[in-house]
Amino acid sequence: MKRFVLDTAIVLLIVLVALTVIDVAVPLHGQEYEAKANHIKEHGNEISTLIVGNSLATAGVDACVFGDSCYCDAIAGEVLYYTMKRLEQDLPRMSNLRAVILPLHYNLLAYQYFGKLGAHFIYNYYRSMNITLDTFPYGYLYRLALPSGKLHLSSRGCDYYNPQGNSWPNWTWNGEKQEENPPNQCDEVDIAIDYLTAMARMCHERGVRFIVVVPPFPDAWLEGCTEDGMNNLQIIADSVNALYPIGFHNYMADSQFRDRSLYMNWNHLSHAGGTLFAQRIKEDFGL
Amino acid sequence: MLFTDTSFAVFLPIVFALYWLLQRAPKWQNALVLVASYVFYGWWSWRFLLLIAFTSLCSYVSGIKMGTGENVGKAAHRKLWLWANIVINLGILAIFKYYDFFVAELAQLFGLDGDPLMLHVALPVGISFYTFQALSYSIDVYKGRVEPTRNIVAFFAYIAFFPQLVAGPIERATQLLPQFLRSRHFDYKLAIDGARQILWGLFKKMVVADNCASYVDAVFAQSQGPASHLLAAVLFAFQIYGDFSGYSDIAIGTAKLFGIRLMQNFRTPYFSRDIAEFWRRWHISLTTWFRDYVYIPLGGSRVPKWKVVRNTFVIFLLSGIWHGANWTFVAWGGYHACLFLPLILLGRNRRYTNTVAAGRLLPTWKELGQMTLTFALVAFGWVVFRATGIPSALAFIRTMCHPEAISAAWMFFADSGISVARVGIIVMLVVEWLQRDKEHGLQDADRVVRNRWLRYLLFAALFVATYFFRGAYTEFIYFQF
């Protein structure tokens, strides 16, 4: 018995050491959640327009267009569920908030299914939400780890790709179809409605406008979209709107965004595209 | 409580420590196992504990009645008690699992509204597993293969033993019950092998199955391109294997920590050379249950050919419907019966009883072809099994069989969305191929990695990898059965 306990303990000890090292190392790569949450804690009352969502927001909607009081709280790869949870946490900290803008992906929850960002993404999320032993055994190590905030976020919350300006990486796109992440309407519409309704309710209760936009996509990407998929987006918006008023517009095939120079890859706008898109939102919704 | 829950990681060491503290008092060990098993099950639903207790009590009483002095020799009395127990147990199973289905089907047939007659009750987790385990006891007592026990605690522990309570392996009284009736002593080798088997099971479940599930669920939820369908069909084959055999590994490994040996439930079934071999290697505890308690009593294969055909269809259709009240399961059973039948009629169903490529590192081209064909046939069948209905299964197959589906092979290696699943599958296949004559992927690791510290590092690395590359939370598929 002693030998068994010893063997098991050694393996678990090595596991513990490995997880501790990982726990310390992860913040060194940038803890966007933590940094963004801290910004909102400290400057929440200065924010009047909040951009939430995933890379369609971080590399899709230029926060600068909305003025100094706009902040991009989005994180690349974030799924609707986490957006909802973070909004729930952050809304009470922004007493002057007037509008929340959410760019909605055609695939809705696709990244939740495909889990491309994997453990690192979830890991950072759990730590920033202070989810500890109950749900995530190693969240508590966060308190022992180095202080985060290693990122140099801009005042608008754009991520570390370009700390002084916006979040667009320096990519170029040749306009060809990229085979990975093909469009697919694979998500459960009901789940999307649940999450969006929850966000709409939270905003409604605080007198904040909730604006959902489907960003433009290049022609190569649109080829893979189905009519059902397009209709689903409207169904979702109508379902939420029936309970709480939201602003909704689908820009997927918008004629103003057909030039491929407006895209940095086959499903993300370039900086120029993101600026143009932000201007359109501003005009269309009177922000 | 799930094996992959944090709560189980706390529960298991506590029960383990208490269990071995009671090493000198086997009766108390059994009492602890019983309490722990009921806590384990009650975590999910304490109400259905009454059902397990009732099932256990019925089987216990019928066993005593079949074996007591006054009834010994009175065949009619013994048969009466046997059938009473069978009717009660299968009755409970039928009510919870099949009643609503058949009411709905009959109502639809006659154009009526069956809803008022339906019960709409939740299906108790693991009901098919513990019911079959209880039945095996009664039948074995009746057949004289096992002595009826009067030790009620040991018997209840045998029915509810938590590692295999909700998804098997379906144990036989002849194998498991005697282990609860004798004293158990801590066996280092058995325990360490159990711990390794748990680790391997967690890897298969959390890394392979749960990462495949993301893709499979997405494609089955919403129709996509032919290649996606074919890829989803292949990934589901690995998902269901990783899920169920992973569960079995965790169950068997956990039992070993308590000095209890459970039967092997899977023997690398995807390395089978024909369907008959596949069925000797897949869900062994269920297939042997049907073989021993249904197929052989019906005459097996030593009867006229028309009866062989009948018997084959009976066990495969029963096996299908055992999984759930849906025509897809019946169709899946029928499909496998059709694949199995030619082999048994030609007397070629026992051609491959040894391990493939025994004594060699690699298979021959012929063996590789046979294994690939068998896997393809099995994976095709899983589409029907996974679909929500026959029409959706047919639609899925139609899309999957389009010539464009050929690019699924490229997608498997190129799609970054399944990168973790892909690596997990490859690791699993390589390890299990090398260990194909062993009980699990990490058995006898000492012989492969002789350095003790290297072994520690290897196991720790597997643990950490499992933890960080686990897929989105997915329940065990076989819990629904």
Side-chain angles (χ1 to χ4, degrees):
Chain A
M1 174 65 100
K2 276 181 191 167
R3 198 173 153 203
F4 175 77
V5 173
L6 185 69
D7 280 353
T8 313
I10 291 171
V11 171
L12 291 179
L13 192 67
I14 297 170
V15 168
L16 190 72
V17 170
L19 291 179
T20 308
V21 168
I22 292 166
D23 206 71
V24 172
V26 166
L28 299 176
H29 285 277
Q31 220 314 12
E32 295 170 68
Y33 282 113
E34 184 71 16
K36 293 203 172 194
N38 283 342
H39 180 92
I40 289 178
K41 264 184 210 163
E42 289 164 20
H43 305 285
N45 292 335
E46 298 162 22
I47 298 169
S48 67
T49 305
L50 187 75
I51 299 169
V52 296
N54 51 28
S55 61
L56 295 182
T58 60
V61 184
D62 187 350
C64 299
V65 171
F66 299 96
D68 292 341
S69 60
C70 178
Y71 184 73
C72 177
D73 192 34
I75 304 236
E78 185 168 270
V79 293
L80 273 181
Y81 175 77
Y82 295 138
T83 303
M84 175 188 73
K85 297 300 284 184
R86 290 175 62 231
L87 191 63
E88 189 178 18
Q89 177 189 257
D90 292 339
L91 269 182
R93 295 171 180 155
M94 293 177 283
S95 57
N96 294 314
L97 190 66
R98 294 288 167 265
V100 171
I101 300 169
L102 169 68
L104 188 67
H105 199 289
Y106 170 82
N107 284 348
L108 297 172
L109 306 170
Y111 293 96
Q112 182 158 293
Y113 279 114
F114 290 113
K116 280 169 67 69
L117 297 181
H120 179 94
F121 179 80
I122 294 166
Y123 194 70
N124 271 336
Y125 169 78
Y126 272 77
R127 289 152 53 107
S128 76
M129 297 294 278
N130 278 329
I131 295 172
T132 53
L133 256 173
D134 290 345
T135 1
F136 192 72
Y138 273 81
Y140 74 94
L141 278 177
Y142 171 62
R143 296 191 186 94
L144 303 175
L146 294 174
S148 55
K150 301 286 176 194
L151 297 174
H152 300 286
L153 289 182
S154 73
S155 60
R156 295 185 198 287
C158 301
D159 64 31
Y160 51 85
Y161 289 122
N162 184 357
Q164 297 308 313
N166 286 289
S167 57
W168 283 274
N170 188 23
W171 293 345
T172 52
W173 182 48
N174 63 8
E176 292 302 314
K177 200 171 187 173
Q178 293 171 23
E179 288 303 331
E180 65 173 24
N181 303 333
N184 49 63
Q185 188 67 32
C186 62
D187 312 305
E188 292 174 29
V189 170
D190 290 347
I191 294 176
I193 292 173
D194 287 349
Y195 297 161
L196 288 170
T197 303
M199 287 189 262
R201 178 185 50 74
M202 286 186 263
C203 290
H204 181 69
E205 285 169 356
R206 292 176 182 277
V208 175
R209 288 179 72 188
F210 184 50
I211 296 166
V212 179
V213 289
V214 185
F217 287 101
D219 294 337
W221 204 90
L222 289 173
E223 282 172 17
C225 300
T226 64
E227 200 173 323
D228 280 352
M230 297 282 219
N231 292 339
N232 275 344
L233 294 166
Q234 190 61 50
I235 290 167
I236 289 167
D238 291 344
S239 304
V240 179
N241 207 26
L243 298 170
Y244 304 101
I246 62 166
F248 176 78
H249 192 81
N250 186 343
Y251 293 90
M252 279 177 77
D254 194 287
S255 57
Q256 207 179 347
F257 295 91
R258 293 305 99 212
D259 189 332
R260 81 172 194 214
S261 68
L262 296 174
Y263 295 90
M264 72 171 188
N265 63 19
W266 84 315
N267 57 359
H268 289 92
L269 290 164
S270 63
H271 190 181
T275 305
L276 183 62
F277 184 41
Q279 283 165 352
R280 280 290 303 276
I281 294 172
K282 192 177 175 187
E283 287 165 19
D284 292 350
F285 292 94
L287 295 171
Chain B
M1 195 184 297
L2 294 174
F3 286 159
T4 47
D5 277 352
T6 314
S7 50
F8 186 71
V10 176
F11 169 86
L12 182 61
I14 293 172
V15 179
F16 175 80
L18 291 173
Y19 183 84
W20 290 114
L21 281 174
L22 297 169
Q23 189 168 184
R24 291 179 186 172
K27 282 182 185 173
W28 286 106
Q29 276 185 320
N30 290 341
L32 175 72
V33 166
L34 182 58
V35 171
S37 300
Y38 277 30
V39 168
F40 179 84
Y41 193 85
W43 208 270
W44 174 73
S45 169
W46 61 268
R47 286 185 186 87
F48 287 134
L49 277 177
L50 294 173
L51 207 58
I52 297 182
F54 181 69
T55 295
S56 306
L57 189 66
C58 289
S59 301
Y60 174 75
V61 171
S62 78
I64 289 176
K65 289 293 180 185
M66 281 189 280
T68 51
E70 62 187 82
N71 285 329
V72 169
K74 294 182 182 174
H77 275 93
R78 288 164 56 78
K79 193 172 263 186
L80 183 69
W81 279 106
L82 171 69
W83 278 103
N85 189 47
I86 290 174
V87 167
I88 289 171
N89 275 303
L90 290 184
I92 293 171
L93 186 64
I95 288 169
F96 279 96
K97 197 163 179 174
Y98 303 107
Y99 175 79
D100 280 1
F101 171 72
F102 283 110
V103 167
E105 291 298 313
L106 285 173
Q108 195 182 10
L109 192 68
F110 295 108
L112 302 169
D113 178 16
D115 201 58
L117 291 172
M118 286 159 81
L119 299 174
H120 298 294
V121 286
L123 182 68
V125 168
I127 188 169
S128 307
F129 290 91
Y130 67 72
T131 300
F132 271 45
Q133 193 155 309
L135 288 177
S136 97
Y137 170 76
S138 296
I139 298 169
D140 284 348
V141 168
Y142 178 78
K143 296 271 184 187
R145 294 180 194 132
V146 68
E147 282 293 310
T149 181
R150 286 185 169 274
N151 186 335
I152 192 165
V153 177
F155 182 76
F156 273 51
Y158 152 74
I159 297 289
F161 187 40
F162 73 88
Q164 45 86 245
L165 172 61
V166 289
I170 303 165
E171 283 296 328
R172 308 300 173 77
T174 46
Q175 144 88 4
L176 184 57
L177 189 54
Q179 297 188 64
F180 281 111
L181 295 173
R182 60 174 178 249
S183 58
R184 280 138 275 164
H185 301 285
F186 187 80
D187 179 343
Y188 169 78
K189 281 187 178 171
L190 188 65
I192 210 78
D193 186 50
R196 289 171 185 175
Q197 194 162 3
I198 292 172
L199 180 57
W200 185 242
L202 286 173
F203 172 79
K204 285 201 283 187
K205 163 63 185 161
M206 296 170 78
V207 178
V208 178
D210 289 354
N211 280 299
C212 287
S214 308
Y215 192 91
V216 172
D217 287 352
V219 176
F220 272 89
Q222 186 79 36
S223 183
Q224 294 177 46
S228 300
H229 279 64
L230 184 57
L231 183 59
V234 172
L235 290 183
F236 182 67
F238 288 113
Q239 182 199 342
I240 195 166
Y241 174 65
D243 191 287
F244 194 21
S245 75
Y247 182 93
S248 294
D249 277 338
I250 301 168
I252 296 165
T254 306
K256 283 176 180 173
L257 295 181
F258 294 87
I260 302 275
R261 283 182 184 276
L262 300 180
M263 71 186 295
Q264 194 176 355
N265 215 13
F266 291 86
R267 281 203 313 267
T268 55
Y270 289 156
F271 300 142
S272 302
R273 287 153 287 182
D274 62 22
I275 286 294
E277 188 183 13
F278 172 80
W279 280 108
R280 278 193 296 277
R281 292 170 173 272
W282 179 273
H283 202 174
I284 299 165
S285 64
L286 181 70
T287 49
T288 53
W289 198 100
F290 278 117
R291 182 197 66 197
D292 295 345
Y293 299 118
V294 181
Y295 185 68
I296 291 174
L298 285 174
S301 56
R302 293 176 184 175
V303 285
K305 283 204 172 170
W306 74 267
K307 280 192 175 177
V308 174
V309 175
R310 180 201 66 183
N311 294 350
T312 304
F313 270 94
V314 165
I315 59 156
F316 275 105
L317 292 177
L318 277 178
S319 175
I321 199 79
W322 175 91
H323 286 86
N326 195 327
W327 291 117
T328 52
F329 296 126
V330 179
W332 172 76
Y335 168 74
H336 274 279
C338 293
L339 295 178
F340 191 86
L341 206 54
L343 295 174
I344 199 162
L345 289 177
L346 294 169
R348 304 181 75 170
N349 57 313
R350 298 196 65 81
R351 267 196 309 171
Y352 302 115
T353 52
N354 60 344
T355 306
V356 62
R360 283 179 281 128
L361 180 63
L362 297 172
T364 61
W365 287 108
K366 184 187 170 192
E367 286 166 338
L368 190 64
Q370 288 173 321
M371 287 189 289
T372 308
L373 178 63
T374 307
F375 175 80
L377 292 171
V378 170
F380 188 85
W382 287 134
V383 171
V384 182
F385 186 94
R386 172 64 176 76
T388 48
I390 296 291
S392 57
L394 293 175
F396 194 99
I397 289 166
R398 262 198 303 275
T399 312
M400 190 176 89
C401 292
H402 191 277
E404 280 179 21
I406 196 76
S407 61
W410 174 82
M411 275 176 76
F412 177 80
F413 291 103
D415 192 330
S416 62
I418 56 163
S419 51
V420 178
R422 176 170 58 235
V423 173
I425 288 168
I426 292 169
V427 169
M428 180 180 77
L429 287 178
V430 169
V431 170
E432 294 213 332
W433 173 260
L434 296 172
Q435 294 279 87
R436 63 195 180 281
D437 56 344
K438 303 281 193 306
E439 212 178 307
H440 61 88
L442 302 179
Q443 195 168 44
D444 293 338
D446 318 42
R447 289 184 190 174
V448 182
V449 184
R450 291 183 181 276
N451 184 291
R452 186 181 165 204
W453 288 97
L454 200 59
R455 271 202 312 275
Y456 289 151
L457 282 175
L458 197 73
F459 294 141
L462 187 62
F463 195 107
V464 172
T466 300
Y467 185 75
F468 274 93
F469 293 105
R470 69 191 186 280
Y473 166 78
T474 311
E475 278 210 350
F476 287 94
I477 295 173
Y478 266 68
F479 274 23
Q480 62 186 296
F481 308 138

